Amino acid sequence: MIPTLILLGLVFGRWWRSSLMAAAVGWPVVLVATDVMSIEVGLLGASALATMNAAVGVVVHQMILRMTRQLRPAGSSRSGA
């Protein structure tokens, strides 16, 4: 499910390496555990597609993060005190 993996990247995009690794390893595990696929060479393709879909979410997250950093005034603090 493409939207699930894009959402994974959107939510956990700050930790992009972990997000991509979770998609690459976790999605094939889900496919095998739910009997959608058996352990075969095709899982490598599923892993690659899962990583690319999660990467889309990570890129969007990182772009939003950079835009908010640019729009935030330079002297503002997070605590507001």
Side-chain angles (χ1 to χ4, degrees):
M1 300 203 43
I2 293 170
T4 304
L5 294 165
I6 292 174
L7 184 63
L8 174 92
L10 279 171
V11 172
F12 298 109
R14 182 174 294 259
W15 305 282
W16 62 272
R17 288 183 187 111
S18 300
S19 298
L20 296 179
M21 289 300 292
V25 174
W27 189 247
V29 168
V30 168
L31 292 177
V32 170
T34 57
D35 289 330
V36 173
M37 291 182 77
S38 60
I39 297 176
E40 58 188 38
V41 177
L43 280 176
L44 293 174
S47 177
L49 288 174
T51 304
M52 287 188 294
N53 289 323
V56 169
V58 167
V59 167
V60 172
H61 179 95
Q62 291 291 324
M63 285 176 22
I64 292 170
L65 198 65
R66 288 182 189 198
M67 285 184 349
T68 57
R69 286 180 181 160
Q70 288 178 350
L71 294 175
R72 189 181 330 148
S76 69
S77 65
R78 295 178 111 180
S79 63

